[in-house]
Amino acid sequence: MNETNIYNVHSNIAKHMNKEQRQHHILHLIEDSNGQHMLGTRELAEQFGVSEMTVRRDLQELSQDGLLRRQHGGAAPLRQANDHQLREVGIVLVSTTGKYADPFFNAILEGVDQKLPQLGYRIAYINTRSQISTAAQAQEMLRNHPVDGIILFGYVGEESIEYLRSNVRALIQTTDAVSPDVATIGFDGYRGIQEMVKHLINRGYRRLGFITGNYDIRQQAFLDSIKAHHLPIYEELCITVPFGLDGWTPELGHVGAKQLMQLSEPPDAIVCASDRIAIGAIQWLHQHGYHVPEDIAVTGFDNIPESAFTAPSLTTVHVHKQLMGELAAERVVKHIENPDEIPLFIQTPIHLVIRQSCGSEGT
């Protein structure tokens, strides 16, 4: 039965039902949905001519009686599943190949994997964005692997997020906020770049380049910081390198460094939006006869383990990646066990890690 038919309640009858009749009809609607659509409180309120608060009370009572499953924004059928299935959480990675190739997301994953068992849950699967790039694929994933909660590592696409938001009990986003209705565990990328630019300018660098994979808050922070320090903004010094299925790889640093160093006036420092990009930039510079930091400084962002072992060691911004994973695990369980839990945006702090790639080392 399609969505239109599911809600095809005769308005005159529906709006004159008493509580018992209304709740009985809600259960029929859930049964008719076959689990394909979450019943939203707003749609139900409109159908029955009552307030959303009244519908929420109906759903709460039916949930307490074990007749349906509450979700944020509505209700869905009870699944016929074993206890271990009801205590599993799915992971979806923005990277579309090499599930464990990105050290940044691996550290977040470690935090999730360590925290979930303490809360009585476990990871059911780790899928990639390519597996849920459409709502139909997301629907198929939930049909084949039903879970009560999903944690997203990175932005996986609006269509998929909207479907998941409406059809799983708990959806948690990490790194980038996508909607006020989706709880997010992020980091202060804006201040991280601000602090990095300030550090470089204090060390005497004046012509700064920037390499990223896509425009985000870090690039905005770079531009704002250059302006705040009364330096000219040169469009050619901000390089956005299109990235492929593997995300922000060192190859982006190769491409960006080449473009910057081929300018008639190349930068004296390169600020990179990630450590992997910075590692690639340093590789390209070494291969083409440049010395870091003597000829040019390079900085990263994330503080992945590899950043301490580059030659020279990489100045970067530390992100509390494992903490983000632990917080994501805590929040997904809270939303699973309490459908009315408020979706929070939690921003974890950052701090500079000063090493040799910008001509100084310390903390």
Side-chain angles (χ1 to χ4, degrees):
M1 180 174 291
N2 61 35
E3 182 179 337
T4 303
N5 290 333
I6 289 172
Y7 289 104
N8 190 20
V9 181
H10 193 286
S11 59
N12 290 331
I13 297 175
K15 292 179 181 179
H16 290 85
M17 288 181 178
N18 60 31
K19 184 173 101 170
E20 182 179 353
Q21 292 170 328
R22 185 173 60 247
Q23 292 185 0
H24 181 72
H25 204 93
I26 288 173
L27 292 175
H28 274 298
L29 291 174
I30 289 179
E31 183 180 349
D32 289 343
S33 74
N34 293 320
Q36 302 301 307
H37 182 77
M38 182 187 77
L39 297 179
T41 54
R42 179 178 299 177
E43 293 91 340
L44 288 171
E46 292 175 354
Q47 289 292 331
F48 292 108
V50 296
S51 68
E52 289 188 53
M53 182 61 70
T54 297
V55 170
R56 290 193 187 97
R57 284 197 294 265
D58 286 341
L59 298 180
Q60 185 63 35
E61 290 178 14
L62 292 169
S63 175
Q64 290 173 348
D65 291 339
L67 299 174
L68 55 73
R69 178 168 53 89
R70 288 294 311 277
Q71 290 187 192
H72 179 69
L78 288 171
R79 285 195 289 271
Q80 298 300 317
N82 297 326
D83 288 342
H84 78 277
Q85 291 177 305
L86 294 175
R87 300 176 73 81
E88 291 185 330
V89 172
I91 303 292
V92 177
L93 288 163
V94 66
S95 302
T96 51
T97 64
K99 292 181 182 180
Y100 308 104
D102 192 315
F104 177 83
F105 288 123
N106 284 348
I108 299 178
L109 181 60
E110 184 178 355
V112 173
D113 196 34
Q114 289 186 4
K115 193 67 176 181
L116 278 180
Q118 299 174 18
L119 302 171
Y121 289 75
R122 67 181 186 181
I123 294 175
Y125 53 77
I126 301 173
N127 288 342
T128 66
R129 176 176 57 182
S130 62
Q131 295 170 280
I132 61 160
S133 59
T134 66
Q137 287 177 310
Q139 181 183 20
E140 184 70 12
M141 182 185 72
L142 293 182
R143 182 186 298 117
N144 293 333
H145 304 285
V147 291
D148 283 308
I150 289 179
I151 301 175
L152 304 175
F153 286 20
Y155 179 67
V156 300
E158 183 176 352
E159 182 180 347
S160 300
I161 288 174
E162 182 60 28
Y163 183 85
L164 294 174
R165 189 180 69 82
S166 300
N167 290 278
V168 294
R169 186 179 298 189
L171 182 66
I172 305 296
Q173 173 78 36
T174 65
T175 68
D176 303 305
V178 296
S179 166
D181 297 325
V182 178
T184 302
I185 311 298
F187 56 87
D188 195 350
Y190 190 93
R191 191 171 75 85
I193 294 294
Q194 272 188 322
E195 294 294 321
M196 185 62 77
V197 170
K198 178 181 178 182
H199 174 75
L200 291 171
I201 290 175
N202 286 343
R203 288 198 56 79
Y205 297 101
R206 290 295 180 269
R207 187 170 171 83
L208 276 56
F210 186 79
I211 307 174
T212 186
N214 58 270
Y215 187 93
D216 68 1
I217 195 68
R218 281 165 285 193
Q219 184 167 346
Q220 185 60 56
F222 176 79
L223 296 171
D224 290 348
S225 297
I226 295 296
K227 183 177 180 181
H229 285 89
H230 309 291
L231 295 175
I233 295 175
Y234 299 104
E235 185 175 327
E236 67 270 18
L237 290 177
C238 286
I239 305 296
T240 300
V241 183
F243 60 95
L245 299 179
D246 293 321
W248 290 12
T249 62
E251 284 70 24
L252 274 67
H254 294 178
V255 174
K258 179 180 179 180
Q259 291 185 36
L260 288 171
M261 300 312 292
Q262 287 180 341
L263 294 172
S264 58
E265 292 185 57
D268 54 13
I270 300 176
V271 178
C272 298
S274 81
D275 286 351
R276 297 184 83 195
I277 293 176
I279 289 170
I282 290 175
Q283 289 172 344
W284 187 92
L285 290 166
H286 285 171
Q287 291 166 4
H288 291 81
Y290 296 96
H291 295 90
V292 178
E294 293 82 2
D295 298 327
I296 184 168
V298 178
T299 68
F301 198 109
D302 295 336
N303 196 27
I304 61 175
E306 292 86 343
S307 66
F309 303 103
T310 58
S313 57
L314 182 63
T315 292
T316 185
V317 176
H318 180 74
V319 176
H320 294 275
K321 302 169 286 296
Q322 186 166 331
L323 173 62
M324 288 174 61
E326 293 171 358
L327 291 172
E330 290 177 356
R331 296 311 300 172
V332 76
V333 170
K334 282 185 177 292
H335 282 264
I336 289 171
E337 297 181 352
N338 179 15
D340 294 321
E341 183 75 20
I342 296 173
L344 300 178
F345 174 70
I346 299 175
Q347 188 175 73
T348 57
I350 55 83
H351 65 263
L352 290 188
V353 179
I354 309 302
R355 299 194 182 105
Q356 298 171 339
S357 68
C358 63
S360 62
E361 185 168 12
T363 58

